[in-house]
Amino acid sequence: DVKVTQSSRYLVKRTGEKVFLECVQDMDHENMFWYRQDPGLGLRLIYFSYDVKMKEKGDIPEGYSVSREKKERFSLILESASTNQTSMYLCASSPSTPDSEAFFGQGTRLTVV
Amino acid sequence: GNSVTQMEGPVTLSEEAFLTINCTYTATGYPSLFWYVQYPGEGLQLLLKATKADDKGSNKGFEATYRKETTSFHLEKGSVQVSDSAVYFCALERGYNNNDMRFGAGTRLTVKP
């Protein structure tokens, strides 16, 4: 079975903390993505990466950074967590082949208090 | 830019009713179009896709036809079941390396017995 694994299902962090969300895929995919999912807003792209050490901003990168040191791992970093970053975070991966589907992790529900 | 607009939910139907969830898109060129489904507590998974105009994607009794003239990709099912209760996302992929994926806001479907 193909797999995208996110390190935590639930996280509670304090305002101002530095937060790391980890995602690992075992399919040797070139592309990896971080989305946040909010009611009524659907999935909004934060960052994506198309290769090791490469990254591109999505629609809402402010307050976030990412790291991709190895092909299988893509980390999302909240430099200083704020309450408006309370959300569900979804990681996905896909091959670079056009028209291919994306595979998603189960999500991390982050609460910032 | 590339974007997807879905009909607002939630949608509540009785078992065996007909389902339509509307989706329209805005994109340069000819994107590939997808429907993803998210069952409770899970990540998104591909339901069906279509990669060019007039293509019909189908899976598990669901269908959607890529209509270039109306820039639409509406999801239909003739007879829904309780097990179809989930959130449905329309999405488009537009990128040379399959790395520009955009999702709609999602439509929550509840099917009552």
Side-chain angles (χ1 to χ4, degrees):
Chain A
D1 254 2
V2 296
K3 229 173 199 169
V4 177
T5 304
Q6 294 182 231
S7 53
S8 306
R9 290 296 302 273
Y10 300 94
L11 273 180
V12 180
K13 296 292 181 181
R14 295 194 181 277
T15 301
E17 276 193 78
K18 190 168 186 176
V19 182
F20 293 86
L21 302 183
E22 306 285 346
C23 176
V24 176
Q25 51 100 358
D26 64 1
M27 295 163 281
D28 201 37
H29 285 165
E30 291 78 15
N31 299 324
M32 296 189 75
F33 307 82
W34 275 107
Y35 294 88
R36 64 177 281 177
Q37 181 180 11
D38 299 291
L41 298 175
L43 273 65
R44 292 180 292 167
L45 182 63
I46 304 171
Y47 269 97
F48 70 91
S49 167
Y50 53 89
D51 200 353
V52 174
K53 296 191 187 295
M54 306 305 290
K55 60 187 179 184
E56 293 283 345
K57 292 180 181 179
D59 297 323
I60 52 164
E62 297 78 18
Y64 303 94
S65 62
V66 290
S67 171
R68 192 161 180 207
E69 297 296 319
K70 293 185 178 182
K71 190 175 185 181
E72 67 270 19
R73 187 180 296 271
F74 192 37
S75 303
L76 180 69
I77 304 154
L78 286 65
E79 297 290 342
S80 177
S82 64
T83 55
N84 63 12
Q85 293 178 308
T86 292
S87 186
M88 172 70 83
Y89 290 87
L90 293 174
C91 175
S93 73
S94 72
S96 58
T97 312
D99 308 328
S100 299
E101 73 178 277
F103 294 85
F104 282 80
Q106 288 189 295
T108 296
R109 183 164 295 282
L110 172 67
T111 302
V112 182
V113 297
Chain B
N2 302 327
S3 66
V4 174
T5 303
Q6 274 181 251
M7 66 180 281
E8 291 187 21
V11 174
T12 303
L13 295 173
S14 297
E15 209 165 20
E16 299 184 2
F18 184 85
L19 169 72
T20 301
I21 301 177
N22 290 339
C23 171
T24 57
Y25 69 89
T26 302
T28 54
Y30 303 104
S32 297
L33 301 173
F34 303 80
W35 277 99
Y36 284 82
V37 58
Q38 185 180 34
Y39 297 105
E42 299 183 14
L44 278 71
Q45 57 186 273
L46 180 68
L47 179 60
L48 54 84
K49 70 179 184 182
T51 59
K52 61 183 187 296
D54 300 325
D55 264 5
K56 178 185 281 189
S58 60
N59 186 25
K60 300 182 181 180
F62 291 89
E63 293 183 340
T65 301
Y66 189 143
R67 302 279 187 206
K68 188 164 70 95
E69 62 277 8
T70 55
T71 62
S72 64
F73 192 54
H74 304 323
L75 182 68
E76 296 182 336
K77 187 174 185 182
S79 176
V80 293
Q81 305 300 312
V82 172
S83 57
D84 294 327
S85 297
V87 182
Y88 292 82
F89 291 91
C90 187
L92 67 80
E93 181 273 310
R94 176 83 179 97
Y96 180 74
N97 289 322
N98 196 42
N99 56 20
D100 186 359
M101 297 171 50
R102 305 294 167 143
F103 288 81
T107 302
R108 181 176 298 279
L109 170 67
T110 302
V111 180
K112 296 185 181 297

